[in-house]
Amino acid sequence: MSEKSNARDFLRSCLAMAALMLSAPETVAQDNGSANDVGTAVGTTTEMLGLRAEDTLGDLLDYPSLAGFAEHTLPWHGRDYDRGLPLDRLGSLLPYHSAVDTGSVLAGLNLLIENAERGVPVFHEIYSDEEKNESPDLSKTGLFFFPGQEGKPFALIAAGGGFSYVGSVHEGFPYAAAINALGYNAFVVVYRTGQGGRAATEDMARAVDTILIHAEELGVARDGYSVWGSSAGARMAAYIGSHGVASFGGGDHPIPAAVIMAYTEHSEVSGQEPPTFVVVGGRDNIALPAVMESRIENLRAAGTEVEYHLYQSLGHGFGLGVGTEAEGWISDAVAFWEKQLMSGE
């Protein structure tokens, strides 16, 4: 069976588990059970099942293993959320995104919870307390870790949101889960919003610094990393690829082995870009495919290897594309990345 089939099977099993969570009874009280016994049983069962579609934002924000950083999983930092909003309506918080799949959202969040509960340090600060005290907006940032096979390269993912929110629940955690299924380590950066692409890309550069400085303790390779982004996040990934981490305040690190971009109108080309993988939707009225196609022509003219996929039926922000013609594109992107890793050996 191919790696792509394995990844698809993994995602489908995650979705099946999410469906099971949706239908599973919370607990069945024994006839002779006390109220305390029932309460304990409910807590135990809920912990086993993780988050379900009918659970709420309040349940996510209060989830014990996410204490201290649960808000960073959500799109709008500092927002006074409706804590009663069911998780199957998270898409209502992502106005620039389409095809928000509840099963994929739950699979990503529950993998994060599973990792946290087995002792993985799943959340990392990328700025010091002193830096955050001097610039409070830096408190919006952070880095989520989804470990794959020890010693393997890592993918750093930036979700989109028009630089006004960060859609990690749709374009971050589900991507990381799919990349993990193929054996690789994955990180999802939470960046500053409301300040445009420069500040956000500085946060992505700082995330690269954080990972490479702590690569040994995280169990990830320092070489061969890839940067991934969707929509606004794709601009960030492209900036890192075109200009390097140091251009955005980071260290003097090698450029990524590959840049993975989903649906953006980013047009800049430096002429020094790494190999680039691109997906877009043919019905995207936010980031027109023609703009990306023009950039691809310029990249190829400069000698950059590009793999391009146009999904005619899809609009903007389709994420994993579960149940659409784009389903499996993450596996294609990982195969492209692996090709660059092999060519660099």
Side-chain angles (χ1 to χ4, degrees):
M1 182 178 292
S2 69
E3 289 186 338
K4 183 172 178 178
S5 297
N6 285 335
R8 283 180 172 172
D9 288 345
F10 171 81
L11 289 174
R12 285 169 181 156
S13 70
C14 288
L15 297 180
M17 181 60 72
L20 178 63
M21 291 175 184
L22 181 62
S23 60
E26 295 218 358
T27 188
V28 177
Q30 299 297 318
D31 289 342
N32 60 352
S34 69
N36 287 338
D37 292 336
V38 173
T40 301
V42 170
T44 302
T45 306
T46 300
E47 185 176 13
M48 276 189 349
L49 290 176
L51 293 166
R52 300 158 300 177
E54 68 269 26
D55 288 332
T56 66
L57 286 189
D59 295 319
L60 169 58
L61 290 167
D62 294 338
Y63 209 93
S65 57
L66 304 181
F69 53 84
E71 185 184 17
H72 288 289
T73 67
L74 294 177
W76 306 86
H77 190 275
R79 170 170 286 196
D80 186 14
Y81 284 106
D82 173 6
R83 293 175 58 88
L85 184 76
L87 295 181
D88 63 3
R89 291 183 54 206
L90 264 178
S92 66
L93 302 178
L94 307 170
Y96 298 138
H97 292 87
S98 63
V100 178
D101 178 71
T102 299
S104 301
V105 169
L106 289 173
L109 288 170
N110 283 325
L111 180 57
L112 182 68
I113 288 169
E114 176 189 333
N115 287 336
E117 292 182 348
R118 63 186 180 89
V120 174
V122 297
F123 183 77
H124 299 262
E125 300 286 356
I126 59 175
Y127 292 103
S128 68
D129 289 341
E130 182 180 359
E131 288 172 311
K132 288 186 287 184
N133 287 335
E134 291 178 1
S135 300
D137 265 2
L138 297 179
S139 297
K140 296 179 178 180
T141 67
L143 186 66
F144 286 97
F145 178 36
F146 289 75
Q149 294 178 20
E150 187 170 358
K152 283 274 199 176
F154 67 87
L156 175 59
I157 306 161
F163 297 118
S164 61
Y165 66 88
V166 183
S168 300
V169 291
H170 176 54
E171 293 171 341
F173 309 147
Y175 291 12
I179 292 167
N180 277 176
L182 294 169
Y184 294 94
N185 298 285
F187 295 85
V188 178
V189 61
V190 183
Y191 53 87
R192 283 170 288 174
T193 56
Q195 299 183 43
R198 175 77 197 191
T201 309
E202 288 173 357
D203 298 336
M204 194 172 197
R206 176 60 75 96
V208 175
D209 274 353
T210 301
I211 297 165
L212 293 179
I213 289 169
H214 300 284
E216 185 173 349
E217 60 197 82
L218 291 168
V220 306
R222 287 188 170 89
D223 300 325
Y225 71 96
S226 57
V227 289
W228 299 55
S230 299
S231 195
R235 292 179 182 266
M236 297 159 57
Y239 285 137
I240 294 291
S242 294
H243 303 290
V245 174
S247 296
F248 295 93
D252 187 15
H253 305 300
I255 63 171
V259 175
I260 315 298
M261 304 178 66
Y263 39 80
T264 186
E265 284 194 344
H266 182 77
S267 59
E268 181 191 85
V269 172
S270 71
Q272 304 296 320
E273 279 73 19
T276 301
F277 181 97
V278 180
V279 295
V280 300
R283 297 182 179 178
D284 193 332
N285 294 319
I286 294 177
L288 299 179
V291 177
M292 179 56 73
E293 289 167 355
S294 177
R295 182 174 191 264
I296 289 170
E297 290 180 9
N298 292 332
L299 288 174
R300 287 174 172 160
T304 298
E305 181 181 355
V306 181
E307 182 174 330
Y308 174 52
H309 295 262
L310 173 64
Y311 304 115
Q312 292 286 0
S313 66
L314 298 182
H316 191 75
F318 52 78
L320 290 178
V322 173
T324 75
E325 62 179 307
E327 184 172 354
W329 78 261
I330 296 284
S331 301
D332 293 332
V334 169
F336 178 84
W337 175 25
E338 288 176 329
K339 179 182 176 183
Q340 314 314 318
L341 295 175
M342 289 186 289
S343 68
E345 291 178 352

